[in-house]
Structures are given as C-alpha cells and as structure tokens.
C-alpha cells in the first residue's frame, strides 16, 4: 500500500494555507491572505491575522481538496505548523488541524515553519541532495544551513542573522522610502528603473574579521534611512529607484557571497534558496550567476512556493510519514519562537512567551 495523502496546514502569520502531498507530489493547494487588511497599519496586526485564519480555515481546506480532486475521506495524515509565528495565528491552525485529525482518525504531525520552506523546493525539484546547503531568507529569518536528511537528521546552522533579517530590512527601509507594505515586493518593483551602483551602501559582516556566515542587516537599514534623510533635509527629491536598486544589490551581494563561500568550504555542490525573499528578482539572478561561475547547482522554488503556503507543510509531513516518524502527542502545543533544530516540532504544554522573530518583524508599529 502506498503512502497516505498528507494535508498540510499553515497559519503562522497572515496567510492561511492548505496543501495536499503524496509521495513527494503536490496534488493541490490553496492560500488565503489577509495582507490587504494589514497594509493600512504598515505591518501585520496579530488579532486581525488570527480572526482571518478563523474565517479562512475551512474554505481554504475545501479549495485545496477541490484543486486536487479529492474528498476529506481521502486524507490519511495531517501536518500543521506549530512554530515559530504569531501565537494566536498558530493556535487557530493547530486547533483546526487537531479537529480534522480527530474527526478523520488520522495521525497529526507538528512541523517547524522554516523546515517547510526548505521542503517546498522538493515539490518542484525532487528530493534534496544529501548534503545540501540551504539559504533561508524571509521576513524574520536569514540562516545558512547544512541539511542532510530533512526528516531524520538534525539541521546544522552555519550562520544566522544577529539582528534584522533580510526581509525585515526591506520592510523597514520601504517604510522610510514611503513605499507600500509589504516592503520586499515594493523595493523589487521600484529597483527595476534604478542604478544599483548609484549609492554605496555597506555590505555588513563581510570583513576578514567578521563572523564568516553570520548575517546582519540592521546597519544597512540605518545607512539607507540616513541616505533618505540627507536628501530630505537638503530639500531634494529622493531618487527612489536608485536607492531601492542599491539596497537590493547590497542584500543580494551579502546573501549570495556567503552562501557560495559556504558551499565551497563544505564541499557541497547544491545550494537551495528558499523563503519569501527568495522571490526577489536580484537575489535569484545573482545567486544563479555566482553558482554557475562556481560550478554549484542552484535550486530555487517558483514564486508561489517561496511565500508561506500549506503545500510546504504538507511536504514536510509527507517526508515524516515516509521516514516512519512518530506522530505528535495529543497534548502537542505551539512554540511561537521555536529554533530550527529538526523538521518535526512537537512542543507540549505552555508555549514560550514571544511571537517569533519572523512574525514579530512584520508587526505594525
């Protein structure tokens, strides 16, 4: 008998996602975003996000099933994001997933949100090479990881962000520039007409004495804010396109430089770039250029799988099922600030205080 159909549920921030995966193949998925409701606040409002998940949960699951041509009775296992993220948002997804698992009498698996981003690539490019280098770039996380068997082995962190993540930098600078939320896509669009060499923004933590694979974008954010401030103090029009292009180039340069260096040092010939910022056009283009020059295979999911979605959570659940992993206990809870150690995340009892770095970075001021 083959592996079961796995339903994945994602509700860590402002997207309600459901996806269906079986034996590494995406059968169907659907996403509902509450982003428009948060835009006027300049970031995600936790209470609005939680209410939106309540309203969207059942319709999104139904849409995913319809897209796959399946019925509820066809589901053989359920995977759900248990952290990190917004506490209330995670609770909605977990409560819904538990209810479905109980009603269908199928096993439930808790999944780390960032492991979902890693697994998203498998839905388009097949199993991950063992080992592979993974660069996660999102709203609150920038990490360089050495990944072997995602379902069985611990995940090795070579470097993480020490302050602002890449996506957080884009969001905050976009606000200073007067661009709309979310900042990442706005910066990308604006940069198309700009000159990336027009402004000499710093490349943080790239000096010979700096932590080799750590990331820091707080100083870059400040440099961009001061650049904008100088123009305004002098009564000059802000050259937005040039500023956006130069900022984007600085971020892409740091990310890809460190990722390729890590591949060379650890003799890994595949780099996987995932997360919301992996949708950035310059990050993708520079990663492709530098990987080609270094003889490294580059894997980046399509845009629809870079941002939060239920398919990526289902992909992790599918890997866990096929690896014979233990399902989550009945008392499984959430951990809004869970570190990425393994793909499965089965916290029990009271969750840790905090909303998680990725979600908190996107909150309205």
């Amino acid at each position: 008998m083959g592996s079961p159909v796995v339903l994945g549920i994602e509700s860590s921030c402002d997207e309600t996602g459901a996806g269906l995966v079986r034996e590494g193949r995406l059968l169907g998925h659907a996403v509902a975003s509450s982003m428009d409701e948060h835009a006027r606040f300049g970031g995600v409002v936790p209470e609005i996000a939680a209410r939106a998940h309540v309203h969207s949960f059942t319709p999104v699951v139904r849409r995913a099933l319809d897209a796959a041509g399946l019925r509820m009775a066809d589901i053989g296992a359920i995977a759900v994001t248990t952290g990190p993220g917004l506490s209330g948002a995670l609770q909605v997804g977990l409560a819904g997933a538990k209810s479905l698992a109980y009603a269908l009498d199928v096993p439930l698996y808790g999944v780390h949100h960032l492991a979902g981003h890693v697994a998203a690539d498998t839905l388009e490019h097949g199993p991950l090479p063992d080992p592979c280098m993974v660069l996660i770039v999102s709203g609150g996380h920038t990490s360089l990881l050495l990944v072997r068997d995602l379902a069985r082995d611990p995940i090795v962190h070579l470097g993480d962000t020490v302050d602002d993540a890449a996506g957080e930098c884009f969001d905050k600078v976009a606000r200073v520039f007067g661009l709309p939320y979310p900042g990442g896509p706005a910066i990308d669009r604006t940069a198309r007409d700009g000159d990336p060499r027009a402004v000499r923004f710093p490349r943080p933590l790239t000096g010979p004495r700096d932590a080799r694979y750590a990331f820091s974008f707080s100083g870059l954010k400040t440099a961009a804010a001061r650049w904008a401030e100088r123009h305004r103090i002098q009564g000059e029009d802000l050259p937005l396109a040039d500023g956006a292009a130069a900022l984007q180039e600085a971020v892409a340069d740091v990310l890809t430089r460190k990722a390729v260096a890590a591949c060379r040092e650890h003799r890994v010939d595949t780099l996987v770039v995932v997360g919301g910022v992996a949708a950035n056009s310059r990050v993708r283009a520079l990663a492709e250029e530098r990987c080609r020059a270094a003889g490294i295979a580059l894997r980046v999911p399509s845009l629809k799988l870079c941002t939060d979605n239920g398919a990526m959570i289902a992909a992790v659940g599918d890997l866990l099922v096929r690896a014979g992993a233990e399902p989550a206990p009945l008392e499984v809870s959430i951990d809004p600030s869970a570190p990425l150690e393994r793909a499965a995340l089965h916290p029990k009892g009271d969750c840790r205080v905090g909303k998680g770095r990725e979600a908190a970075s996107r909150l309205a001021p």
Side-chain angles (χ1 to χ4, degrees):
M1 184 176 178
S3 298
V5 173
V6 179
L7 168 66
I9 301 294
E10 158 62 22
S11 69
S12 65
C13 195
D14 59 342
E15 283 95 10
T16 311
L20 295 143
V21 171
R22 181 176 184 177
E23 295 184 342
R25 187 166 68 92
L26 177 59
L27 306 176
H29 78 116
V31 177
S33 174
S34 58
M35 186 178 296
D36 290 344
E37 298 178 54
H38 305 284
R40 64 193 177 102
F41 299 102
V44 176
V45 180
E47 292 79 7
I48 292 176
R51 286 198 297 270
H53 289 307
V54 172
H55 292 302
S56 299
F57 184 92
T58 299
V60 164
V61 171
R62 289 290 182 190
R63 281 168 48 205
L65 286 167
D66 289 344
L70 298 173
R71 301 169 302 159
M72 196 72 77
D74 295 320
I75 297 170
I78 295 176
V80 60
T81 302
T82 48
L86 296 170
S87 179
L90 290 168
Q91 291 283 15
V92 173
L94 179 59
K98 280 186 173 182
S99 299
L100 288 178
Y102 179 80
L104 297 172
D105 192 24
V106 298
L108 177 70
Y109 296 84
V111 170
H112 196 289
H113 174 78
L114 296 181
H117 278 302
V118 178
D121 182 75
T122 68
L123 298 175
E124 293 180 329
H125 302 127
L128 293 170
D130 180 3
C132 64
M133 195 67 62
V134 176
L135 175 65
I136 296 182
V137 275
S138 63
H141 295 271
T142 305
S143 297
L144 199 50
L145 313 171
L146 186 62
V147 176
R148 303 196 74 90
D149 188 316
L150 186 61
R152 294 182 173 91
D153 295 333
I155 295 165
V156 178
H157 288 246
L158 300 181
D160 298 283
T161 185
V162 297
D163 44 49
D164 288 359
E168 187 176 359
C169 176
F170 280 149
D171 281 342
K172 291 180 177 177
V173 173
R175 187 180 301 163
V176 172
F177 283 5
L179 296 174
Y181 176 85
I187 291 286
D188 201 351
R189 289 191 301 271
T190 306
R192 293 171 189 167
D193 299 319
D195 179 359
R197 296 165 296 182
V199 189
R200 297 186 64 180
F201 285 137
R203 271 53 171 171
L205 293 186
T206 55
R209 297 184 180 180
D210 290 323
R212 189 164 174 78
Y213 299 125
F215 298 94
S216 167
F217 293 102
S218 179
L220 176 59
K221 172 197 69 180
T222 301
R226 288 179 176 171
W227 172 80
E229 183 181 24
R230 283 196 300 271
H231 279 276
R232 287 170 178 146
I233 288 175
Q234 295 168 7
E236 301 172 349
D237 290 336
L238 191 64
L240 275 177
D242 287 346
L247 175 76
Q248 184 172 261
E249 187 69 21
V251 171
D253 182 21
V254 172
L255 292 174
T256 57
R257 187 190 307 188
K258 287 177 179 271
V260 169
C263 287
R264 283 173 168 157
E265 180 177 338
H266 292 271
R267 297 184 180 181
V268 175
D269 58 11
T270 301
L271 172 64
V272 184
V273 183
V274 297
V277 180
N280 178 272
S281 62
R282 185 53 183 156
V283 170
R284 296 169 81 95
L286 192 54
E288 183 176 346
E289 176 186 323
R290 287 181 167 171
C291 283
R292 187 187 307 114
I296 297 168
L298 175 67
R299 293 173 39 153
V300 188
S302 62
L303 299 183
K304 66 181 180 180
L305 291 179
C306 285
T307 52
D308 294 351
N309 61 83
M312 69 186 199
I313 304 304
V316 178
D318 176 63
L319 290 173
L320 293 172
V321 168
R322 289 190 282 150
E326 287 292 319
L330 291 175
E331 64 270 28
V332 66
S333 184
I334 62 166
D335 186 345
S337 54
L340 177 58
E341 297 170 346
R342 290 181 176 272
L345 179 62
H346 296 163
K348 299 179 184 178
D350 294 335
C351 63
R352 276 180 267 174
V353 177
K355 293 181 172 65
R357 178 177 289 182
E358 175 164 14
S361 70
R362 300 170 65 185
L363 301 183

